[in-house]
Amino acid sequence: MLRRPRRNRKSEAVRNLVEETSLSVKDLIFPMFLVDGAKKKVAIDSMPGIYRYSIDTMLREIESCMKLGIQAFDVFPAYPDSLKDTIASESYNPETFYLKALREIKKEFPELCLMSDVAMDPYSSDGHDGLVKDGKILNDETLEILARMSLAQADAGVDIIGPSDMMDGRVGYIRELLDESGFTDTSIMSYTAKYASAFYGPFRDALDSAPKFGDKKTYQMNPANSQEALVEGDLDTEEGADFLMVKPALSYLDIIKLLNDNFPLPIAAYNVSGEYSMIKASAEKGWIDNDRAMLEVLLSIKRAGAKVILTYFAKEYASLLR
């Protein structure tokens, strides 16, 4: 035999020489959950190792993550029902705890990259990402609310706006308002191909943001479809997105590759709560090795073409490297 591929696997040193994909802490964004109040660090039962933080404890957690090399964070707010209404008006209240927290984070750590979430569901009494009327999710009427939300978050100092709602035309609508208001440097990481997935369950537990009726299949994508992701990618690119995101990641590696092969923008992928929790649950049972499974999953997402990975494993991965 003239060709023996095993020769390039014969030692760790040789394997490292020919390794095709590398993963760095710099590739990762750490999603975090914020609650109102002080001195709070509340465990999320369905996401072992992940917590809801008040702003004081979140600042200290961010500090510890930055010492491990994590430079980017995506903060999601958990609102009580008492502050929710049908038009998500709390989302652009300048005195709301989420916007105040974003300002505090950027004031204390101006060097970090701060990402925020744009969608109605954390603030909506209906639990949907868009405005609801007669049981239907209204698209165009939702855009103004999303744009006001985005403007408020940009004013609070965020570096990257993350529209996760999947309303048609929202990237262009948000981009136009941000530019008109002087926030030309605020980036948009569009949730371009966000699928109607079963893997969001633990996240909705964390935010108590599950829809109060029906499902999200009229705006989130059908898991059976891939070509539709190209349509969404075309639109978001034309409308001014700076990143295109695929969510979830692990069951949609083909979509990550599809977007990476067809668009010049950096591709992000969200390694979502259900993907995280199924590894944690299996590891707790002793069925799989937690660290090896974590590394394999993150490498697969990077290998598929993601330049940026949002993952709840970020701190754990960074700690493992140390």
Side-chain angles (χ1 to χ4, degrees):
M1 288 186 288
L2 296 178
R3 303 184 67 185
R4 291 179 179 268
R6 286 187 59 190
R7 282 195 287 260
N8 285 348
R9 305 175 198 143
K10 64 186 175 184
S11 70
E12 184 174 2
V14 173
R15 289 193 298 272
N16 288 341
L17 280 175
V18 300
E19 190 169 79
E20 298 175 26
T21 305
S22 60
L23 182 69
S24 167
V25 175
K26 295 178 182 178
D27 301 326
L28 309 180
I29 296 177
F30 190 19
M32 301 182 73
F33 300 109
L34 177 76
V35 292
D36 197 10
K39 299 181 179 179
K40 293 181 180 179
K41 182 181 177 181
V42 182
I44 300 168
D45 292 341
S46 56
M47 299 178 70
I50 302 298
Y51 301 86
R52 300 181 190 90
Y53 297 93
S54 53
I55 183 56
D56 53 340
T57 57
M58 180 173 283
L59 289 171
R60 302 288 66 83
E61 178 67 7
I62 288 174
E63 183 177 31
S64 70
C65 290
M66 293 183 71
K67 289 177 180 177
L68 294 171
I70 300 172
Q71 301 173 331
F73 302 84
D74 191 2
V75 179
F76 294 87
Y79 274 86
D81 287 343
S82 60
L83 292 177
K84 297 179 182 181
D85 60 27
T86 58
I87 59 171
S89 60
E90 188 67 16
S91 66
Y92 45 82
N93 171 9
E95 296 304 314
T96 194
F97 74 86
Y98 181 50
L99 296 177
K100 291 168 73 173
L102 296 176
R103 290 188 183 94
E104 286 193 50
I105 292 168
K106 283 300 285 185
K107 181 180 179 180
E108 183 152 347
F109 305 108
E111 70 275 25
L112 62 69
C113 175
L114 183 60
M115 183 172 171
S116 58
D117 179 60
V118 171
M120 285 183 62
D121 54 331
Y123 317 92
S124 169
S125 52
D126 295 306
H128 276 281
D129 294 33
L131 196 62
V132 177
K133 184 177 181 180
D134 298 329
K136 292 184 178 181
I137 314 302
L138 304 181
N139 191 94
D140 295 9
E141 293 84 346
T142 298
L143 301 184
E144 182 178 353
I145 297 171
L146 299 176
R148 291 185 69 178
M149 192 185 308
S150 300
L151 184 59
Q153 293 174 7
D155 188 61
V158 302
D159 300 287
I160 302 175
I161 298 289
S164 62
D165 55 283
M166 288 299 287
M167 297 296 119
D168 293 339
R170 89 278 203 204
V171 172
Y173 200 102
I174 291 169
R175 182 75 271 164
E176 184 175 357
L177 181 60
L178 291 177
D179 289 355
E180 287 175 353
S181 304
F183 295 103
T184 55
D185 288 339
T186 303
S187 304
I188 296 177
M189 182 184 290
S190 174
Y191 287 60
T192 297
K194 182 178 181 181
Y195 285 85
S197 172
F199 288 103
Y200 302 148
F203 178 93
R204 291 173 182 167
D205 290 344
L207 295 189
D208 189 24
S209 62
K212 297 298 187 287
F213 67 91
D215 53 41
K216 301 191 175 187
K217 293 180 180 178
T218 65
Y219 46 101
Q220 294 179 355
M221 287 177 56
N222 183 342
N225 294 351
S226 61
Q227 294 302 300
E228 195 176 335
L230 293 175
V231 175
E232 294 285 0
D234 272 331
L235 289 169
D236 288 353
T237 301
E238 291 172 5
E239 292 176 23
D242 301 287
F243 305 79
L244 305 180
M245 187 201 293
V246 176
K247 181 182 180 182
L250 194 53
S251 293
Y252 299 89
L253 298 176
D254 60 322
I255 308 301
I256 296 171
K257 185 179 188 315
L258 183 67
L259 294 189
N260 188 53
D261 288 347
N262 285 278
F263 298 98
L265 295 176
I267 306 304
Y270 202 138
N271 178 211
V272 298
S273 59
E275 296 169 341
Y276 170 87
S277 294
M278 68 182 182
I279 290 177
K280 287 297 181 184
S282 297
E284 285 179 2
K285 291 282 190 180
W287 295 339
I288 62 173
D289 181 281
N290 179 86
D291 293 350
R292 288 185 62 195
M294 170 184 69
L295 291 171
E296 189 172 339
V297 164
L298 294 177
L299 263 179
S300 73
I301 297 168
K302 183 76 182 291
R303 189 184 65 242
K307 303 294 188 295
V308 179
I309 303 173
L310 294 88
T311 179
Y312 302 99
F313 284 119
K315 187 178 183 182
E316 197 171 340
Y317 173 74
S319 299
L320 188 64
L321 295 185
R322 293 296 177 98

